[in-house]
Amino acid sequence: MFKSSVNFLNKSGQKLLSSKMSKVVKAIVTSPKIYKPVGPYSQAVVANNTLYVSGVLGCDVDTKLVAGGTGAQARKALENLRHVLEAGGSKMEAVVKTTILMANIEDFQEFNKVYAEFFPKNCPARAAYQVAKLPMNAAIEIEAIALVGDVVVEEFNANSHI
């Protein structure tokens, strides 16, 4: 079997991380607490210590969009995201990046109010886009990347690392 290792070094040549490249695990994550995928995809995939969550909609477990527009769908989508994160061994505080797809960018402030309830501090990086159409004519879709494991959140000061 082919084995390789990669060493990640800092500017001084000190080893920061070493990775043996003989086996990488790809684990499929499914939460029974949300709707089944509406197409040929997994709810999420864990690769090593990173959880990649497919876009979640504001649907109930019967795959019906919740009533109430963008705010209600955002709340349900974020609840669904939480369930998938938990099924994958992660949590909201470990999310490092979200991508928000919106049917109408005019609803951005309404969405932000709900989003801030789920990410009250140390928010993940985020991008938001208006798209022509979402599955099931949803108002919102959210995908995320999160860490799995013992996550420690620290403030990064670029000046202290020079």
Side-chain angles (χ1 to χ4, degrees):
M1 170 170 33
F2 174 75
K3 287 190 177 187
S4 174
S5 66
V6 175
N7 292 315
F8 296 92
L9 308 175
N10 66 14
K11 291 179 183 178
S12 303
Q14 297 170 315
K15 187 172 16 173
L16 298 173
L17 179 65
S18 178
S19 172
K20 294 197 180 199
M21 306 272 275
S22 60
K23 182 178 180 184
V24 176
V25 175
K26 173 184 170 182
I28 306 303
V29 176
T30 303
S31 172
K33 295 181 178 181
I34 78 165
Y35 60 93
K36 290 184 168 71
V38 295
Y41 63 90
S42 300
Q43 288 177 349
V45 174
V46 176
N48 285 338
N49 287 7
T50 305
L51 177 64
Y52 300 90
V53 181
S54 296
V56 291
L57 303 173
C59 290
D60 61 21
V61 293
D62 297 321
T63 320
K64 293 186 176 137
L65 289 170
V66 297
T70 299
Q73 286 186 32
R75 181 171 308 286
K76 187 62 179 172
L78 287 160
E79 290 169 357
N80 288 340
L81 174 61
R82 179 183 289 140
H83 291 311
V84 175
L85 290 168
E86 290 169 354
S90 190
K91 56 188 175 182
M92 297 297 275
E93 296 80 11
V95 174
V96 295
K97 172 78 167 69
T98 59
T99 303
I100 314 304
L101 305 174
M102 303 183 76
N104 186 351
I105 202 74
E106 301 282 325
D107 296 336
F108 194 61
Q109 292 306 317
E110 181 182 359
F111 168 78
N112 267 339
K113 287 178 188 172
V114 177
Y115 188 87
E117 294 174 27
F118 288 81
F119 296 106
K121 62 180 184 171
N122 300 315
C123 299
R126 181 178 80 176
Y129 306 96
Q130 177 174 312
V131 297
K133 192 172 181 178
L134 290 168
M136 301 172 56
N137 291 318
I140 198 98
E141 182 174 359
I142 304 169
E143 69 174 28
I145 301 170
L147 302 174
V148 176
D150 187 18
V151 177
V152 176
V153 178
E154 295 181 356
E155 291 289 324
F156 179 78
N157 181 342
N159 294 328
S160 68
H161 295 287
I162 295 177

